[in-house]
Amino acid sequence: MSAVPLVVLVGPMGVGKSTVGQLLAERLGVGYRDTDEDIVAEQGRAIAEIFVDEGEPAFRAIEKRAVRQALADHDGVLALGGGAILDEDTRALLTGQRVVYLSMDVEEAVKRTGLNAARPLLAVNPRKQWRELMEARRHLYESIATAVVSTDGRTPEEVTQAALDALELKEA
C-alpha cells in the first residue's frame, strides 16, 4: 500500500501554501513537502527558468510527474504548485484526498506577491493576468477541495487553525 498525504494544499501562487503547509505539518507532527521544491531540486534550476527555456507545456509535464510521485510516497502535508490542478489526471488523483484550497482575492495577492516578475505567468499586466488565471482555475480548485479556507486578512497561524478546524484534524 502506498502512502497517502494527510493533507494536500492547493491554491494560487502567493497564497501561502508553503508557509501554512509547514505550520500544518508542525502542528500535526508530520513531514512537509512542496512539489515546486521537488521540481527545482530535480531540474537544478528555478521554475521561472524552466518556463522561459522550455515553455509552459514542458513545465506542466514535469509538474505532473512530480505531483504523481509526491502523492504516491508522501504521507504528511503536501503543497502543490498553483497550476498543478490544471491537469485532469492530477485532479483525478486528488479525488478522495483531504484537499484544502487556500483562497485569496486579487488585492491580497497584490499585497503578498507584489505580483512580481519572478512569477512567469504574471509578467505583463499582473492584476489582470492574476484575475484571469483565477477565473480559469477557481472552479478547478473548488471541484477537488475538501475544504476552502480564505486567507484574506489572516495570519498564517490563523489560516493553519482554520484548515485544522475545517478538516477536523487533531494536533499531534
Side-chain angles (χ1 to χ4, degrees), residues 7-12 80 85 90-103 137-150 163 166-167:
V7 179
V8 179
L9 297 177
V10 299
L80 304 188
I85 49 79
T90 296
R91 290 194 309 275
L93 288 173
L94 291 169
T95 302
Q97 303 267 3
R98 265 195 207 100
V99 179
V100 176
Y101 162 33
L102 298 179
S103 69
R137 296 177 179 181
R138 184 174 290 109
H139 72 283
L140 298 175
Y141 290 131
E142 290 171 350
S143 74
I144 57 157
T146 309
V148 178
V149 175
S150 171
L167 295 173

Side-chain angles (χ1 to χ4, degrees), residues 108-124:
E108 190 81 9
V110 169
K111 255 193 304 204
R112 292 202 196 168
T113 65
L115 296 181
N116 60 34
R119 311 281 185 178
L121 290 179
L122 300 178
V124 182

Side-chain angles (χ1 to χ4, degrees), residues 12-167:
M13 57 191 90
V15 76
K17 295 182 297 282
S18 298
T19 304
V20 171
Q22 290 166 357
L23 286 169
L24 262 178
E26 202 175 284
R27 302 247 319 249
L28 292 167
V30 297
Y32 169 76
R33 184 165 170 181
D34 180 325
T35 57
D36 280 353
E37 290 174 9
D38 291 353
I39 292 165
V40 169
E42 178 200 297
Q43 297 290 311
R45 57 195 166 140
I47 287 171
E49 284 179 55
I50 300 168
F51 263 87
V52 170
D53 296 345
E54 298 177 40
E56 186 175 358
F59 171 75
R60 295 293 174 209
I62 294 165
E63 180 177 55
K64 179 178 178 173
R65 285 194 311 272
V67 170
R68 186 174 55 236
Q69 187 63 51
L71 286 170
D73 64 21
H74 183 68
D75 61 3
V77 175
L78 178 64
L80 304 188
I85 49 79
L86 294 171
D87 184 78
E88 190 177 335
D89 295 336
T90 296
R91 290 194 309 275
L93 288 173
L94 291 169
T95 302
Q97 303 267 3
R98 265 195 207 100
V99 179
V100 176
Y101 162 33
L102 298 179
S103 69
M104 70 178 166
D105 68 22
V106 70
E107 297 314 316
E108 190 81 9
V110 169
K111 255 193 304 204
R112 292 202 196 168
T113 65
L115 296 181
N116 60 34
R119 311 281 185 178
L121 290 179
L122 300 178
V124 182
N125 179 342
R127 277 176 196 249
K128 179 175 181 276
Q129 287 181 287
W130 194 88
R131 272 198 191 92
E132 287 171 3
L133 275 177
M134 282 311 299
E135 281 166 22
R137 296 177 179 181
R138 184 174 290 109
H139 72 283
L140 298 175
Y141 290 131
E142 290 171 350
S143 74
I144 57 157
T146 309
V148 178
V149 175
S150 171
T151 65
D152 297 337
R154 287 175 153 172
T155 66
E157 291 75 15
E158 289 168 334
V159 173
T160 300
Q161 188 58 54
L164 287 168
D165 292 347
L167 295 173

